[in-house]
Amino acid sequence: MPKTPSVAPGLHIDSLLAHGGGGHDPATGAVSPPIQTATTFVRDEAYELIKPGHIYSRDDNDLYHKTEGLIAALEGGEESRLFASGMAAVAAVARIVRPGGTLLAQSGIYWGTTLFLRKFCARNNIALVEADACDLEAFLDEFSVTRPDLVWLEVPSNPYLKVADILKISAHCRQTGALLAVDATAATPLILKPLSLGADLVMHSATKALNGHSDLLGGVVTTRDAASEAWTFIKEERKLAGAVLGSFETWLLLRGLRTLSLRVGRMNQNAAILSDYFERHPKIETVLYPGVAGHPHHDIAKSQMKGGFGSLMSVLVKGGKPEALKVTGALDLFQRATSLGGTESLVEHRYTIEGEGSGIPENLLRLSIGIEHADDLIADFDQALSAI
């Protein structure tokens, strides 16, 4: 039986990513892993498995194991599990809270997560408390009042780009026995590692920058402690409920991860240039980006985020909804679409998506900064802003 090749330990994370977390395929010598499409695996005449641990592909998939191992290494965690989408990963973590329990969630986060948590908690007799995690004193005061079982943060938050103090909140969680989960989708594990700051679980929508090419849905959860009760539940939830990623999608994700470092580097560089441009533009009212020196959470972001501040930002256009929509309509290079983290730059008028009930400002544009040349991105906004 040939030994499975692997990348030597101690390599820089860039090298680990470039090799997809491992060496060539031992069966064929291929430099990229094969896609195993089989859903079930045979046994021999004695009814022993031909390959131990391979019964049914809902959980037994070598591509899952390879990709999950690479992401766990990126996060500095013990284990990861892939899910069919980012929201499937959110749902699996939320289900840790039993009926009668309490979930304390950061307010002003991704609207899809907020809506899901509200409906999920209402249906299951779970108390949902939403509070501003960046008002640290008030947020920590909620612990003594609500006694949460699970605390949910999003760092940086989408679309307001707030940065909660994970270190201080995680210390309070340990004191009170609460579990802390952090959605770090907008940062990527190359910039922010919540597990190293005391979080118990970290979640990403793999649809976004981890894959980076806007061509798959996926999610992933990583744990700091693979022996914990919460992680045992999440593994069972993924296997038994069946919210698994397909083999082809997992292969695409692993391929995308190989260029993560290069993409994140360029996207962060472009975001820094664009934020400086917007800060100086007379038709931009406010820039929401933690890399801006005047951002209220800039110092916390610097202490937690390494190598950049992410490629997601929001800007408030001077005026109101008509002006914001006029700018989006005039953009050529920025594509008008809902997502983030891809190679292409996107613009989204969030009020149109969320509606009045979310409280989103009508003049807010959410931007996902891609890997194009920064001069072209600036030129596109120059001509679009001249329209108002």
Side-chain angles (χ1 to χ4, degrees):
M1 193 84 178
K3 183 181 178 182
T4 301
S6 60
V7 173
L11 289 176
H12 191 281
I13 201 68
D14 290 358
S15 300
L16 187 65
L17 285 167
H19 286 263
H24 63 270
D25 173 35
T28 64
V31 297
S32 61
I35 303 173
Q36 180 52 261
T37 57
T39 56
T40 190
F41 304 90
V42 300
R43 297 169 180 267
D44 63 18
E45 293 83 354
Y47 214 71
E48 297 292 333
L49 290 167
I50 296 295
K51 184 174 182 181
H54 282 63
I55 299 174
Y56 195 75
S57 66
R58 188 169 59 236
D59 209 42
D60 308 330
N61 186 313
D62 282 346
L63 267 177
Y64 292 173
H65 303 156
K66 190 178 186 69
T67 308
E68 289 165 351
L70 176 57
I71 294 173
L74 286 178
E75 297 282 13
E78 290 194 356
E79 287 185 0
S80 297
R81 284 294 184 275
L82 294 170
F83 286 82
S85 69
M87 287 309 303
V90 171
V93 175
R95 290 192 190 100
I96 291 171
V97 185
R98 297 173 180 175
T102 300
L103 197 162
L104 174 59
Q106 179 180 351
S107 60
I109 59 175
Y110 171 53
W111 187 236
T113 299
T114 298
L115 281 180
F116 170 78
L117 292 179
R118 287 176 180 176
K119 292 178 181 292
F120 168 77
C121 291
R123 284 194 303 264
N124 292 278
N125 189 32
I126 294 170
L128 175 64
V129 180
E130 298 177 46
D132 184 358
C134 293
D135 184 347
L136 187 61
E137 185 177 352
F139 192 74
L140 296 183
D141 283 345
E142 289 288 349
F143 282 71
S144 58
V145 177
T146 62
R147 300 185 182 277
D149 300 286
L150 173 67
V151 177
W152 183 272
L153 301 179
E154 191 178 86
V155 184
S157 69
N158 171 11
Y160 295 106
L161 282 300
K162 292 185 175 184
V163 181
D165 193 326
I166 300 172
L167 195 63
K168 290 182 178 177
I169 293 173
S170 67
H172 207 71
C173 285
R174 286 193 297 275
Q175 292 172 11
T176 59
L179 198 70
L180 177 60
V182 178
D183 180 343
T185 296
T188 80
L190 295 182
I191 295 173
L192 179 66
K193 299 185 188 297
L195 300 181
S196 70
L197 298 170
D200 297 289
L201 301 166
V202 59
M203 192 282 292
H204 288 267
S205 170
T207 307
K208 310 304 192 297
L210 293 186
N211 172 53
H213 292 80
S214 303
D215 55 10
L216 72 84
L217 290 175
V220 63
V221 182
T222 304
T223 183
R224 183 163 53 91
D225 179 9
S228 68
E229 181 182 350
W231 187 244
T232 298
F233 173 85
I234 286 175
K235 288 191 296 183
E236 291 178 349
E237 183 72 9
R238 202 282 294 269
K239 181 178 180 178
L240 300 179
V244 299
L245 201 58
S247 291
F248 181 62
E249 288 77 10
T250 305
W251 186 87
L252 283 176
L253 173 57
L254 186 58
R255 183 178 67 168
L257 284 165
R258 288 184 176 224
T259 59
L260 179 65
S261 183
L262 295 175
R263 290 185 285 103
V264 167
R266 169 62 74 85
M267 291 155 71
N268 273 265
Q269 182 183 46
N270 280 350
I273 294 170
L274 266 291
S275 66
D276 181 64
Y277 162 77
F278 288 129
E279 278 276 282
R280 294 180 284 104
H281 201 287
K283 293 183 180 179
I284 296 296
E285 179 183 305
T286 307
V287 180
L288 304 177
Y289 185 66
V292 171
H295 189 282
H297 313 135
H298 179 65
D299 289 340
I300 295 174
K302 280 201 303 182
S303 70
Q304 295 185 157
M305 304 172 77
K306 308 301 179 185
F309 299 93
S311 57
L312 181 69
M313 73 172 67
S314 295
V315 295
L316 301 181
V317 178
K318 284 188 177 177
K321 182 179 178 182
E323 288 76 16
L325 286 173
K326 196 167 188 180
V327 171
T328 61
L331 288 165
D332 293 322
L333 187 57
F334 277 81
Q335 298 190 53
R336 292 171 288 277
T338 297
S339 197
L340 58 101
T343 58
E344 65 288 325
S345 292
L346 303 178
V347 59
E348 183 178 54
H349 182 242
R350 283 303 300 175
Y351 183 86
T352 298
I353 303 299
E354 296 184 18
E356 188 176 352
S358 73
I360 196 80
E362 294 187 14
N363 61 336
L364 185 145
L365 300 182
R366 190 187 76 176
L367 310 176
S368 173
I369 309 301
I371 65 171
E372 304 94 339
H373 197 285
D375 289 350
D376 292 329
L377 296 174
I378 289 174
D380 195 28
F381 253 97
D382 260 342
Q383 61 84 23
L385 286 167
S386 68
I388 60 172

